[in-house]
Amino acid sequence: MAGLTGAQVALLVGGCLVNVGTFAVYPYLAVLLRDRLGVGMAQVGVVLGAATLVQFASAPLTAAFAERIGLKRCLLLATFVYGLAALTYLVGAEEPGLTVLALFLSCGAGALYSPAYRGYLVHSATEEQRPRVLSSGNAAGNLGIALGPVVGALFLDQPGRLFAMTTVLYAVLAVAHFFLRPERTTDSRPDVEPFRRVLRGLAGIPFAVTVLTHYLYMQFYQYLSTFAEGRVHTTAYGVVMAGYSLGLVAVQPLVARRVGRVGYPVAMAVGFCCMAAGMAAFASGGVAGLAMGVAVMAVGTAVLFLKNDLEALAGSRRSATVTFGQQRLAVGVGSLLSGVVGGAVYGLFEEAGLLSGFWLAVAAQCLLLPPLVLVVARRAAGRG
């Protein structure tokens, strides 16, 4: 926390608690929606996919909105919408339509909060301070992601109490954000442009690499639980995944300064090689392989997540808030590709009875795709 302002520290605590509330619910949404809607998992998947797409695709617009109304106001509005979503979940126990509405409200709150949160953290930071500030913000968010499912598990059989708790949590956060110090404005900030130009000034190479990063990363996040089922105990898997999130919390601040100094190709080489090693380790299917894999994945993704955002900030002609919105769109595109392409490939390996080979195929992509994407993105940027 050394070197951070009081307002930044307060927001880090808020960002952690926002994710505690979000991820206390998120891992169990599929079951909740299935029970309340009375439909199959295919229909639940469509609802979840649509809500996630809306959240990520709207990020450039919500970032531009935050730029107009002010970051503090946007954060306050987001926590209010989070609370409204939790309250809607609570009162909509017998109304499937209200449950779906609550899901979309929560995704909308996330689209509002994320760019404003990151933008507030770096708005007064120098270029030298950015790696430390961004890594602290990511660490706080990942700590919330690690703690949220643990909190949610305590209330798994009592969703009413879970949503009552999250409603109170977001109400407290809304009050706390009200007292947050308004961001300082400077005359040197980029001009605010119309909403139709939210993608103007896009940093093309970091955007493309972010798409690739999350295309590969989300295959780990989405399909490892299915692969682990029947191979390792559920508790062991939960501990391993919590360890991954805590690993990010520990690793990213430690490597922040070094990541800020190295060149992008070097950071990509380290990050994607670590991801490849982690994916290959998953192929063993045992607890040791999973633990080793997530440990190496934590290092690789810590480097890539931070460096992608730093390069985007350095290469963008827009404000930090809009740049983070553009980067969040890249995350959404990568996640969508992971679902469409990764899911199809996983199904092919599953039908062939060679699921371990799926992770080796993803590991090969971690090594082969980054140089190709980098070359294509540079040529596209050169023509632009």
Side-chain angles (χ1 to χ4, degrees):
M1 296 294 182
L4 298 176
T5 67
Q8 287 172 328
V9 172
L11 188 58
L12 290 175
V13 174
C16 176
L17 292 176
V18 161
N19 275 356
V20 168
T22 300
F23 284 87
V25 177
Y26 186 81
Y28 314 110
L29 269 178
V31 175
L32 176 71
L33 289 170
R34 182 187 63 190
D35 292 346
R36 289 192 176 182
L37 299 180
V39 298
M41 290 302 293
Q43 291 88 344
V44 169
V46 170
V47 173
L48 287 173
T52 303
L53 182 61
V54 166
Q55 178 175 349
F56 285 112
S58 65
L61 291 172
T62 56
F65 175 73
E67 191 179 42
R68 282 162 173 75
I69 70 169
L71 302 181
K72 175 187 171 178
R73 291 176 182 172
C74 191
L75 290 166
L76 182 60
L77 175 61
T79 52
F80 174 79
V81 177
Y82 269 128
L84 184 60
L87 183 61
T88 306
Y89 275 126
L90 178 62
V91 302
E94 306 299 327
E95 294 291 337
L98 288 179
T99 299
V100 174
L101 174 62
L103 170 62
F104 278 86
L105 283 172
S106 181
C107 288
L112 284 168
Y113 195 89
S114 181
Y117 170 74
R118 292 170 176 241
Y120 187 97
L121 286 174
V122 304
H123 79 274
S124 61
T126 65
E127 188 170 345
E128 187 175 304
Q129 292 170 334
R130 280 177 173 177
R132 184 180 71 253
V133 173
L134 268 182
S135 64
S136 298
N138 292 342
N142 283 310
L143 181 60
I145 291 172
L147 295 176
V150 177
V151 174
L154 300 176
F155 299 93
L156 188 56
D157 297 325
Q158 300 172 309
R161 290 191 177 185
L162 173 61
F163 294 123
M165 182 270 294
T166 53
T167 300
V168 172
L169 172 63
Y170 288 127
V172 171
L173 286 172
V175 173
H177 282 73
F178 178 80
F179 290 102
L180 196 66
R181 181 183 302 168
E183 67 274 11
R184 295 195 302 269
T185 58
T186 62
D187 296 333
S188 60
R189 65 178 181 173
D191 293 334
V192 176
E193 297 195 46
F195 281 106
R196 67 178 183 276
R197 302 173 76 176
V198 291
L199 295 181
R200 182 180 176 88
L202 182 76
I205 293 175
F207 186 92
V209 177
T210 300
V211 170
L212 176 63
T213 299
H214 283 270
Y215 160 69
L216 295 168
Y217 159 74
M218 287 303 291
Q219 297 190 52
F220 147 68
Y221 203 79
Q222 290 172 330
Y223 307 125
L224 188 61
S225 60
T226 304
F227 176 73
E229 189 175 12
R231 291 182 170 85
V232 300
H233 194 276
T234 303
T235 303
Y237 174 77
V239 170
V240 165
M241 292 305 291
Y244 168 76
S245 295
L246 293 173
L248 283 180
V249 173
V251 170
Q252 203 170 73
L254 290 176
V255 302
R257 182 173 297 179
R258 190 167 298 176
V259 170
R261 290 175 178 174
V262 301
Y264 205 9
V266 173
M268 288 177 61
V270 172
F272 284 115
C273 284
C274 286
M275 287 183 71
M279 298 293 186
F282 296 150
S284 70
V287 174
L290 264 60
M292 185 181 301
V294 298
V296 183
M297 283 285 295
V299 175
T301 51
V303 171
L304 288 169
F305 291 169
L306 179 57
K307 192 63 176 179
N308 288 342
D309 282 346
L310 291 173
E311 288 294 311
L313 287 170
S316 175
R317 301 192 301 273
R318 303 297 299 275
S319 69
T321 304
V322 170
T323 301
F324 286 131
Q326 294 170 344
Q327 284 294 97
R328 194 164 173 81
L329 175 61
V331 172
V333 173
S335 300
L336 179 62
L337 288 174
S338 176
V340 174
V341 179
V345 174
Y346 187 93
L348 291 175
F349 277 95
E350 187 174 39
E351 289 175 6
L354 300 170
L355 267 183
S356 293
F358 169 77
W359 298 108
L360 298 178
V362 179
Q365 292 178 68
C366 291
L367 297 175
L368 298 175
L369 291 181
L372 178 63
V373 167
L374 194 58
V375 169
V376 172
R378 280 178 171 171
R379 288 181 177 177
R383 287 197 299 269

